[in-house]
Amino acid sequence: MTDVNHVILIGRLTRDLSDDERAFAYLPNGQARANVSIAVNRSRKNGDQWVDEANFFDVTIWGKTAENLRPYLLKGRQIAVDGYLKQDRWEKDGQKFNKVTVQANSVQLLGGRNDGVQPSSGTPRFQPKPAGNDAPFAAGDPGEFPEDIPF
């Protein structure tokens, strides 16, 4: 029988994806890498009461997925991650260390448009058409739609 290493997690980002090189960077080969952390809440019964416990997981997102999701990876945003576990081992000053991370194969943004997340200054926002402006509809105008929509 073949071994299986497959993880599916749904949780909320614990911090914004910053411009810090440890959080987002391009490798020498040009591939993008984003390191995020998610909190996954789990309810369990403790005696007669339900207790919530949070587990925190480090997730690495690679390539075009990391580039495309970069502006949307904001603290509090709920995401679904499908991937696998990877264990890194190293030694420093004679002491052995290891860390297990989730390597994302795919990431989906969940929740509504804002999902309780405050947009960053670089995130485009809808601007309603000012009242009293009778200018005709122009391409890219976020105002009203023309009457002759072809569908």
Side-chain angles (χ1 to χ4, degrees):
M1 182 172 173
T2 304
D3 296 337
V4 176
N5 181 356
H6 188 192
V7 176
I8 299 172
L9 297 171
I10 296 176
R12 295 193 180 271
L13 294 164
T14 61
R15 63 184 181 274
D16 289 350
L17 183 64
S18 66
D19 289 333
D20 178 17
E21 190 172 311
R22 291 179 301 181
F24 185 89
Y26 287 96
L27 302 180
N29 66 3
Q31 185 179 31
R33 183 211 66 229
N35 290 324
V36 298
S37 178
I38 63 171
V40 178
N41 294 322
R42 178 177 174 261
S43 294
R44 63 176 177 82
K45 196 159 189 175
N46 186 6
D48 291 338
Q49 294 183 342
W50 285 94
V51 178
D52 287 334
E53 65 180 31
N55 294 286
F56 299 90
F57 299 96
D58 291 327
V59 179
T60 302
I61 307 168
W62 295 97
K64 288 289 186 188
T65 304
E67 289 178 324
N68 293 336
L69 290 178
R70 185 177 184 184
Y72 305 104
L73 296 176
L74 303 172
K75 181 177 180 176
R77 168 81 65 182
Q78 189 177 41
I79 64 170
V81 178
D82 185 333
Y84 61 93
L85 298 176
K86 180 180 181 222
Q87 183 179 28
D88 292 319
R89 298 177 187 171
W90 68 96
E91 190 173 323
K92 181 178 180 183
D93 299 329
Q95 191 173 3
K96 294 182 180 182
F97 296 92
N98 72 68
K99 182 177 182 176
V100 176
T101 59
V102 176
Q103 302 293 306
N105 290 329
S106 68
V107 177
Q108 292 182 352
L109 299 174
L110 301 177
R113 181 176 177 112
N114 287 335
D115 193 25
V117 177
Q118 294 298 322
S120 66
S121 59
T123 305
R125 294 179 20 190
F126 173 77
Q127 297 294 326
K129 184 176 179 180
N133 186 354
D134 294 332
F137 179 81
D141 183 4
E144 297 178 17
F145 289 101
E147 298 294 325
D148 58 345
I149 297 176
F151 52 86

